[in-house]
Amino acid sequence: GGPRARLPSVLDRVLEHKLVYIETPDIVETTLALENYKRACDCGRGAVFLSVARGKVAEGVDFDRHYGRAVLLLGVPFQYTKGRPLTARLEYLAETCQISEADFITFDAIRQAAQCAGRVIRGKTDYGLIVFADARYNRHDKRSKLPQWIGQHLTDAHLNLSTDMGVMISRRFLKRMAQPVDTEDNAAVSMTAADLKDASRLREAISKTVVS
């Protein structure tokens, strides 16, 4: 018989629904890709932009409003530890501050992951999905180093999700966030400077904004 038909890849399946743009080492190509990506978002078609952690896009481009409703992090962005500058820095931290190599490398990687995640949340009225697609984020030494604005939403109900469960929660969240703002709900979470000093009041207000 003839050669077997190739099964569609994940990228093939994505391309059936969305345009895909990719960050490259060429700054001109990447700038053009970003422009076309935003144009696709503006016209309602939507698109996917693939970039690398520690790259120019992940560290310097904002995907606010409809330009970024979801970010998917694949893997943990650890540094290459054999470079001389990092080796010298690790030795200094160990000798001067008693910070172990493993602790610093993990802290730095999670900080980079949080920076990538923050590309889609650029203001108090903005919203988006953040998916940590790596089981290592579920470990305490990783998850505990995420900033509070992310960690407070990582409840047990949102950990170790199957693909189907993740899709269901995502659809529910996006459907809810697409609704007009209820002025009463908005007033319920608006706080004065005095309120901010009251920790229990702050936690109560935050809980009202968390999507279950």
Side-chain angles (χ1 to χ4, degrees), residues 101-208:
E101 175 179 328
D103 282 345
F104 176 78
I105 292 297
T106 298
F107 168 79
D108 178 70
I110 298 304
R111 180 180 60 179
Q112 289 294 328
Q115 186 170 29
C116 293
R119 295 298 94 194
V120 301
I121 309 292
R122 306 310 301 170
K124 64 180 181 180
T125 60
D126 208 355
Y127 67 90
L129 288 165
I130 300 172
V131 181
F132 293 97
D134 192 303
R136 287 174 290 180
Y137 288 107
N138 192 42
R139 288 168 48 179
H140 180 73
D141 67 319
K142 306 291 190 299
R143 190 150 48 95
S144 63
K145 292 179 174 62
L146 286 167
Q148 186 180 7
W149 72 269
I150 295 176
Q152 67 187 15
H153 298 293
L154 290 178
T155 62
D156 291 341
H158 296 130
L159 300 176
N160 292 320
L161 298 176
S162 66
T163 300
D164 289 342
M165 184 61 70
V167 169
M168 184 185 75
I169 291 175
S170 299
R171 283 176 173 168
R172 184 191 306 161
F173 171 78
L174 291 173
K175 183 177 180 179
R176 176 180 174 181
M177 297 307 294
Q179 304 305 311
V181 175
D182 188 311
T183 53
E184 291 185 3
D185 288 345
N186 199 40
V189 295
S190 63
M191 294 174 287
T192 66
D195 291 329
L196 290 173
K197 295 179 181 179
D198 185 342
S200 61
R201 174 90 164 88
L202 178 58
R203 284 195 295 270
E204 179 184 354
I206 290 173
S207 69
K208 293 180 180 178

Side-chain angles (χ1 to χ4, degrees), residues 77-94:
F78 289 108
Q79 285 196 66
Y80 174 66
T81 59
K82 301 302 181 182
R84 287 185 179 179
L86 180 59
T87 300
R89 187 177 187 183
L90 291 171
E91 289 175 355
Y92 172 81
L93 290 172

Side-chain angles (χ1 to χ4, degrees), residues 8-77:
S9 66
V10 172
L11 189 58
D12 290 331
R13 294 167 65 185
V14 171
L15 284 166
E16 292 177 4
H17 305 281
K18 297 289 182 183
L19 299 171
V20 175
Y21 298 96
I22 303 174
E23 177 184 17
T24 71
D26 188 310
I27 187 63
V28 176
E29 283 184 353
T30 298
T31 300
L32 182 60
L34 277 169
E35 290 175 355
N36 288 329
Y37 167 83
K38 291 189 173 183
R39 192 174 293 119
C41 294
D42 286 337
C43 74
R45 170 73 187 274
V48 175
F49 195 94
L50 302 177
S51 63
V52 294
R54 304 180 188 274
K56 293 184 180 298
V57 172
E59 294 191 351
V61 178
D62 292 342
F63 292 89
D64 59 326
R65 300 176 292 115
H66 63 292
Y67 296 125
R69 290 306 186 203
V71 58
L72 174 68
L73 288 94
L74 301 172
V76 182

